[in-house]
Amino acid sequence: MHPCPVFKSPSSVFFLLVRARYEFLSLSGCRSNLVVAMSEALEPSSKRSRVETSDKEWRGAKHKRQTPQYRFSSFVKEQHKKNLFGVAFNYHVPDGEPTLVATVGSNRATVYECHTDGSLVVIRAYADAEANEDFYTCAWSYTSSGEALLAVAGARGVIRIIFPGCSLPDKTYTGHGNAINEVKFHPKDPSLLLSVAKDHALRLWNIETDTCVAIFGGVDGHRDEVLSGDFDLTGNWIMSCGMDHALKLWSMKDDKVVKTVAASKLYQPQATNRSFNTLSVHFPVFTTRKIHCNYVDCVRWFGQLLLSKSCDNTVSCWKPGSLTDTLDMVNRSTTDVSVIHRFDYNQCDIWYMRFSINYEQTLLAVGNQVGKIFLWDLLDVDPLKPRSCKPVLLSHPKCITAIRQTAFSKDGSILLCVCDDGSVWRWDRKKA
């Protein structure tokens, strides 16, 4: 039984779903037919009333479209044959260059090129010096000179910064008291790295000046292992979730956080004997345990909305506060949440199974524990009919183990998943 009812106001919900995508396209600089359609949907109430729209008008506003189809292309099995927990595409590759993707599992991080013939070709493999390391997560960014870098972390609580395309020495960051479950780079500042860990805390790092900028946790922080965290598209907000069933909103706009981030950019460790004064943030802006009744192991921003999942075979789309509240209106006294839609699937009642959404935020993909991928078209959601948005099922007779994470290439043409048997599976989008 869900702890919070699904909100059913068709016009308001439609407006929010459209606004979520419009905000993404505006912030990311995307230009497509979607921008035009969403701009029209966001016109003043004199042209489109989001409060008084009838059910019939609302249904008519949604154009019928076919969910994009993917076909199986290839798979590879890494030599260690152990669990692969993380996969991430490099969205910073210049146009015209091969698509790069990284996978992590055991004490290995492997970088592949995705060739146009559907194959995956290893271009670099990194093995940690500690045989008992078990990498869980990875994320891409780039240096001030434009060199690609890969952050990896896992069971030992150590963050490694690897430079796959050049001879720069690797970097190492320590501080977490236990395993690191996810790392994410800031969407606008490539030097800021977020890590979430088993020690109940989130840490913000500046990898240019090698400083721990802030620690989020403590008095009103998570009460158990933090499993996932994500920046919103503006970089102003962080949402975290974990084993305590809680989702917590943290502000990057807080004056103390802004000043500490600025100070970290000016810090010169070679010019002083003093260590950097790391900020402790004890109080999140907002906390809720109303969305899920079990471990919350993945959360992603969707405009001003959020997508989160637990080991209850459901991905929930929701927002803090009421449907009309902006994030700036949410505070520590806010207790309401608005659940807009639930994406149901099956055979996924184990934790640490992470979903993905594509770069344009139009597709959602999650794997289950028997090797199947559920794919939804987020442009085809009718909140009045929870079962109307049926997923496309991707499967292969040889893919039969748990899919720990999925990932889309930047243009959405490739969908990858990584599995418990050390295999990487590639699906390519069919051309229209």
Side-chain angles (χ1 to χ4, degrees):
M1 185 173 185
H2 292 303
C4 186
V6 177
F7 193 91
K8 294 185 177 181
S9 173
S11 56
S12 298
V13 170
F14 174 71
F15 178 83
L16 277 170
L17 291 171
V18 169
R19 186 174 70 180
R21 300 184 196 104
Y22 178 77
E23 287 170 349
F24 168 77
L25 292 166
S26 299
L27 289 167
S28 63
C30 294
R31 293 292 180 268
S32 68
N33 292 335
L34 284 174
V35 175
V36 177
M38 292 175 188
S39 298
E40 292 173 353
L42 291 170
E43 285 179 351
S45 57
S46 58
K47 295 185 178 181
R48 168 187 278 276
S49 173
R50 65 185 178 95
V51 177
E52 300 177 359
T53 306
S54 66
D55 289 358
K56 183 177 180 181
E57 180 185 351
W58 182 84
R59 292 191 183 93
K62 186 163 67 72
H63 300 285
K64 292 184 177 180
R65 62 194 298 275
Q66 185 176 5
T67 301
Q69 301 294 310
Y70 286 79
R71 60 174 178 80
F72 168 75
S73 293
S74 63
F75 81 97
V76 296
K77 184 169 287 190
E78 299 191 359
Q79 291 181 349
H80 55 80
K81 297 181 181 179
K82 295 181 181 179
N83 302 55
L84 287 175
F85 289 109
V87 57
F89 278 93
N90 184 359
Y91 285 176
H92 312 296
V93 175
D95 293 340
E97 293 190 10
T99 300
L100 298 181
V101 65
T103 64
V104 289
S106 185
N107 67 335
R108 310 289 182 87
T110 308
V111 179
Y112 296 88
E113 277 187 359
C114 298
H115 289 188
T116 54
D117 63 358
S119 62
L120 293 166
V121 178
V122 177
I123 62 170
R124 181 168 180 185
Y126 169 86
D128 195 84
E130 297 291 337
N132 63 342
E133 177 64 280
D134 199 2
F135 290 133
Y136 298 153
T137 179
C138 60
W140 290 92
S141 188
Y142 54 92
T143 65
S144 56
S145 59
E147 296 288 347
L149 64 87
L150 179 69
V152 298
R156 295 181 62 246
V158 177
I159 299 173
R160 307 282 191 190
I161 305 294
I162 305 167
F163 301 90
C166 64
S167 57
L168 289 173
D170 298 341
K171 291 184 175 185
T172 300
Y173 300 115
T174 58
H176 280 293
N178 217 314
I180 296 172
N181 291 315
E182 190 159 52
V183 290
K184 281 290 183 70
F185 279 98
H186 192 279
K188 292 187 176 181
D189 188 337
S191 67
L192 294 181
L193 174 67
L194 177 71
S195 58
V196 306
K198 191 175 180 178
D199 62 2
H200 308 182
L202 300 78
R203 286 180 178 246
L204 184 68
W205 309 83
N206 187 324
I207 63 170
E208 285 288 337
T209 56
D210 303 326
T211 54
C212 181
V213 180
I215 301 173
F216 300 88
V219 177
D220 200 25
H222 284 278
R223 291 292 176 261
D224 206 335
E225 192 167 340
V226 189
L227 296 177
S228 183
D230 194 29
F231 289 103
D232 81 319
L233 292 168
T234 66
N236 291 331
W237 305 97
I238 298 170
M239 183 62 74
S240 62
C241 61
M243 284 187 173
D244 57 358
H245 308 183
L247 291 122
K248 293 181 179 287
L249 179 67
W250 308 85
S251 175
M252 287 285 288
K253 298 194 297 181
D254 180 83
D255 289 342
K256 290 183 179 179
V257 176
V258 172
K259 289 178 181 177
T260 308
V261 169
S264 75
K265 295 181 179 297
L266 301 175
Y267 180 71
Q268 297 179 335
Q270 67 277 9
T272 180
N273 293 325
R274 296 182 178 180
S275 59
F276 184 77
N277 187 19
T278 300
L279 176 68
S280 294
V281 182
H282 292 284
F283 299 98
V285 175
F286 166 83
T287 298
T288 185
R289 290 181 176 84
K290 294 182 177 180
I291 306 299
H292 302 284
C293 295
N294 210 322
Y295 297 166
V296 188
D297 58 1
C298 189
V299 64
R300 299 289 182 264
W301 284 92
F302 179 44
Q304 283 200 338
L305 309 181
L306 289 138
L307 295 168
S308 61
K309 72 167 283 290
S310 179
C311 42
D312 57 2
N313 293 306
T314 299
V315 176
S316 296
C317 179
W318 63 281
K319 72 179 298 292
S322 70
L323 286 173
T324 57
D325 287 346
T326 64
L327 289 173
D328 288 320
M329 296 167 64
V330 174
N331 54 53
R332 291 182 61 198
S333 63
T334 302
T335 59
D336 294 336
V337 293
S338 301
V339 179
I340 297 163
H341 195 74
R342 297 191 191 275
F343 300 89
D344 295 323
Y345 50 103
N346 56 50
Q347 294 181 288
C348 190
D349 54 6
I350 60 176
W351 63 280
Y352 210 67
M353 307 278 283
R354 291 175 286 177
F355 63 85
S356 64
I357 52 178
N358 67 333
Y359 182 74
E360 291 190 345
Q361 297 198 333
T362 57
L363 298 172
L364 166 67
V366 64
N368 69 6
Q369 62 203 58
V370 294
K372 293 179 172 58
I373 298 174
F374 296 82
L375 176 69
W376 288 271
D377 185 348
L378 296 178
L379 294 178
D380 189 29
V381 177
D382 185 346
L384 287 181
K385 297 180 179 180
R387 298 182 183 277
S388 65
C389 182
K390 295 182 179 180
V392 171
L393 187 64
L394 304 179
S395 64
H396 189 278
K398 292 185 178 180
C399 184
I400 56 175
T401 59
I403 294 174
R404 291 293 175 174
Q405 189 171 17
T406 60
F408 290 93
S409 61
K410 188 174 183 179
D411 63 1
S413 63
I414 302 171
L415 171 60
L416 285 189
C417 68
V418 292
C419 300
D420 270 357
D421 61 353
S423 60
V424 186
W425 297 78
R426 173 173 172 172
W427 302 80
D428 282 60
R429 189 168 181 168
K430 292 180 180 179
K431 295 181 179 179

